[in-house]
Amino acid sequence: MSQSYSNVLPIEYPSIPSAGVYYFNTTSGLRYEVRFGRLQDNILHANIVFGVINDEFEGEEYITTNRGEVYQVMNTIVSIVKNYMKEHPKVNVYEFNAVGREGEPETKNENARMSLYKRYLPKIFETGWQFKIEGNVALVKKG
């Protein structure tokens, strides 16, 4: 069973590009937020956080669920990050934190979510970027 990697969901772009908050909805009705935060001591370093923000998850803002939509979700996130990169060409470090699932042990080894991210990082960052993955944190720097 092959999955389509080109399927991207409709994206709600921020009205002000510097806001760095994007939204999209899956076909099953999950609402995702993708947020880009800048570090105070280095505005060229963006931290990317995303996850489901539906009320049914009661404050667990950045959880992700798997309702068979993982490829669509990840392809949409790839599209959002590429858009952000185009609008913020001077940003030279991106950080992804793979928050573990509830009940998943906190270890220095990467979790299942980071394994998924690792597959998609090369789709976002092409030549000229270097990947450094330690546990559940991926730092991507312009080489």
Side-chain angles (χ1 to χ4, degrees):
M1 179 164 110
S2 73
Q3 295 286 339
S4 169
Y5 287 91
S6 60
N7 198 354
V8 175
L9 296 160
I11 298 166
E12 297 170 33
Y13 294 90
S15 52
I16 303 168
S18 62
V21 182
Y22 299 73
Y23 297 96
F24 63 93
N25 298 312
T26 66
T27 52
S28 72
L30 294 177
R31 184 160 177 79
Y32 276 80
E33 177 183 77
V34 181
R35 181 178 295 271
F36 294 82
R38 300 282 191 94
L39 297 190
Q40 278 188 319
D41 61 343
N42 181 1
I43 61 166
L44 301 180
H45 181 138
N47 188 358
I48 303 169
V49 180
F50 60 90
V52 175
I53 58 169
N54 294 56
D55 287 341
E56 67 187 277
F57 299 107
E58 296 180 9
E60 291 294 325
E61 291 173 44
Y62 295 111
I63 69 155
T64 57
T65 65
N66 186 353
R67 294 188 179 172
E69 300 168 320
V70 69
Y71 299 110
Q72 278 187 315
V73 167
M74 291 306 294
N75 286 327
T76 304
I77 290 167
V78 167
S79 183
I80 288 170
V81 176
K82 282 183 168 286
N83 179 81
Y84 185 88
M85 290 171 69
K86 188 177 73 186
E87 291 182 349
H88 302 88
K90 294 198 182 312
V91 173
N92 58 20
V93 179
Y94 288 90
E95 180 177 335
F96 294 81
N97 292 288
V99 178
R101 294 186 185 108
E102 194 171 316
E104 197 172 47
E106 287 292 322
T107 67
K108 292 187 188 237
N109 300 328
E110 67 188 46
N111 61 20
R113 192 166 291 161
M114 181 53 74
S115 295
L116 176 67
Y117 292 2
K118 278 173 53 175
R119 288 193 316 189
Y120 282 86
L121 289 175
K123 295 175 185 289
I124 300 170
F125 304 97
E126 294 161 14
T127 58
W129 291 88
Q130 299 169 342
F131 304 102
K132 181 180 179 188
I133 298 171
E134 290 184 3
N136 296 320
V137 176
L139 276 179
V140 183
K141 295 182 180 184
K142 195 176 271 186

